[in-house]
Amino acid sequence: MTDNSGKIIKSINPSKIILPILIGLSVTGFLLYREFEPGSFSFVRFTFWSVFWLLVSFLLMAVRDFGYMLRIRILTNNELSWKKVFNIIMLWEFTSAITPSAIGGTSVAIFFLNKEGVRLGRSTAVVMVTSFLDELYFILTFPIILLLLGRSDIFILDAADAALPWYKNNFFLLAMGGYSIKLLYTLILSYGLFINPRGLKWLLLMIFKLPIIRKWRPQANESGTDLIQTSKEFSGWPLSKWIKAFAATFFSWTSRYWVVNTLIITFLGIKWLNWEDHFHVFAKQLVMWIMMLISPTPGGSGFAEYVFKEFLAAFIPVGTGIAMAFMWRMVSYYPYLIFGTFMVPRWIRRHFLSRKVK
């Protein structure tokens, strides 16, 4: 395999935090200027409980990261120390924060794992399985939440959307399209991981013989080889380990989504939403996540704030949506930019520059 270390190191340059911060702050500032209304923040109350629930918001993000760390430990059979998995997760999240959402940090996660001591083949397998578990969480959770709610207005923004039949609602169509792609991807990956990895590789190579996509055949061949390696690593795993790995995934993603709920409580009080509303907010975030995946900006900057304000408008007082969206990003996004800015130079010095000195 070609050594892409130089290219990857260049892609995680801490200076790249400037663009997402500028985009996020610019969009936030513009929307605040355009939509601010005097008295719109009269709903907001800062009390002891506000501080408590704000700390709970940060705690949920810590739980999310701990779940990711625990999952890496499980998938590597505790081969890595807690310190090493912390480094991997923070660097992974930093990379996701400075690249477009559709790209994310997965492509360089293999590099981080390998440099922390996991052999290359196993690093590839671990990252592929984490992707599978993440998609499985969404595939299972989304229909369960819809059934529990028994309603379709999670796709509705305003009265104009409500008047449209479901098959003309753009958000519904986007969500269902995204869900279908995720479901298809998960089914294909499941077939390759647990049933016939070599057969799937053969099929990939046949598909990539088509003239229009032939130039990507070498990458398809490499992906097929990675899939076979992953199947060898994990197909013999006992069910108990899969349950543990999925449980870590479940707690990570659920904690991430409940951050919005706790922030609403922080500023508006615990009585602002009933339990059905809380699940409604949770379900809307699942739809938001699909939309954020198509954002061309680093970490969804700007786009995420706008979608948050629009999609959760029914649960937030008029005029406060963009401010709350900014707080949401302050809790769930900007900390990774800060961590990465300090960690990346130290990590590069430890893994590359120190070796050259020796």
Side-chain angles (χ1 to χ4, degrees):
M1 183 176 288
T2 305
D3 185 5
N4 293 319
S5 298
K7 184 178 179 181
I8 292 174
I9 290 173
K10 186 178 180 180
S11 73
I12 59 174
N13 190 318
S15 65
K16 291 196 173 186
I17 70 168
I18 297 172
L19 181 59
I21 290 176
L22 284 177
I23 294 174
L25 293 180
S26 298
V27 171
T28 300
F30 171 74
L31 291 174
L32 277 174
Y33 171 77
R34 190 184 71 176
E35 302 182 11
F36 177 76
E37 297 180 11
S40 60
F41 286 87
S42 60
F43 294 92
V44 177
R45 297 286 185 271
F46 290 99
T47 65
F48 165 81
W49 289 109
S50 298
V51 176
F52 172 79
W53 285 105
L54 182 60
L55 291 175
V56 171
S57 300
F58 281 102
L59 178 62
L60 285 172
M61 290 305 298
V63 171
R64 178 232 188 187
D65 292 331
F66 176 76
Y68 279 166
M69 292 163 60
L70 181 61
R71 182 172 66 176
I72 294 294
R73 292 259 297 171
I74 293 170
L75 294 177
T76 58
N77 291 319
N78 297 327
E79 182 179 334
L80 298 174
S81 66
W82 285 105
K83 181 180 179 180
K84 286 186 175 183
V85 293
F86 175 80
N87 289 338
I88 291 167
I89 295 303
M90 289 301 106
L91 291 167
W92 194 338
E93 291 300 326
F94 174 72
T95 307
S96 297
I98 62 173
T99 54
S101 299
I103 299 173
T106 303
S107 58
V108 294
I110 297 169
F111 174 75
F112 296 143
L113 278 161
N114 180 238
K115 293 304 177 183
E116 289 292 353
V118 180
R119 56 188 171 81
L120 188 59
R122 188 167 184 80
S123 296
T124 303
V126 167
V127 171
M128 190 170 285
V129 169
T130 61
S131 175
F132 166 74
L133 291 171
D134 288 341
E135 298 299 342
L136 185 63
Y137 172 86
F138 188 91
I139 292 301
L140 296 177
T141 304
F142 193 52
I144 290 173
I145 291 293
L146 288 181
L147 288 172
L148 289 175
L149 284 174
R151 53 204 286 184
S152 60
D153 56 348
I154 64 170
F155 308 104
I156 295 173
L157 285 183
D158 51 34
D161 285 335
L164 292 173
W166 62 268
Y167 55 84
K168 289 186 178 180
N169 184 301
N170 290 332
F171 292 112
F172 174 81
L173 296 175
L174 180 61
M176 290 301 101
Y179 184 84
S180 299
I181 292 171
K182 284 176 174 288
L183 178 60
L184 180 62
Y185 170 77
T186 305
L187 290 174
I188 292 173
L189 189 55
S190 299
Y191 175 78
L193 282 174
F194 306 113
I195 301 175
N196 188 6
R198 294 187 181 279
L200 183 56
K201 179 181 179 179
W202 177 85
L203 180 61
L204 280 173
L205 293 177
M206 290 299 103
I207 293 173
F208 277 84
K209 277 186 175 181
L210 296 173
I212 195 169
I213 56 175
R214 185 180 297 162
K215 65 179 180 179
W216 291 296
R217 199 164 188 263
Q219 289 90 329
N221 180 61
E222 187 172 336
S223 297
T225 302
D226 292 342
L227 188 65
I228 293 172
Q229 176 66 35
T230 303
S231 180
K232 288 180 181 177
E233 293 279 355
F234 292 104
S235 59
W237 255 32
L239 180 62
S240 59
K241 279 199 172 184
W242 282 109
I243 292 174
K244 289 178 182 178
F246 183 74
T249 303
F250 177 86
F251 282 110
S252 291
W253 280 100
T254 303
S255 296
R256 177 185 187 134
Y257 287 135
W258 276 95
V259 167
V260 172
N261 299 69
T262 55
L263 283 175
I264 292 175
I265 294 173
T266 296
F267 294 102
L268 304 175
I270 197 166
K271 294 181 180 179
W272 186 264
L273 301 179
N274 58 40
W275 280 108
E276 184 178 353
D277 287 338
H278 277 294
F279 280 107
H280 199 165
V281 170
F282 184 92
K284 276 183 171 287
Q285 288 180 80
L286 292 172
V287 180
M288 284 167 55
W289 184 250
I290 292 178
M291 290 189 283
M292 285 175 62
L293 287 175
I294 64 173
S295 172
T297 60
S301 295
F303 183 79
E305 287 84 353
Y306 176 78
V307 168
F308 179 100
K309 179 191 75 70
E310 293 294 328
F311 223 59
L312 295 177
F315 303 96
I316 301 170
V318 174
T320 62
I322 192 61
M324 201 164 291
F326 177 70
M327 283 303 303
W328 169 56
R329 297 290 271 177
M330 285 292 290
V331 173
S332 64
Y333 175 69
Y334 289 111
Y336 297 111
L337 294 178
I338 296 170
F339 271 116
T341 300
F342 288 100
M343 288 183 64
V344 167
R346 293 174 58 190
W347 189 82
I348 291 174
R349 281 198 301 269
R350 185 170 69 251
H351 289 279
F352 294 93
L353 300 183
S354 61
R355 295 179 182 178
K356 290 182 180 180
V357 172
K358 293 177 182 179

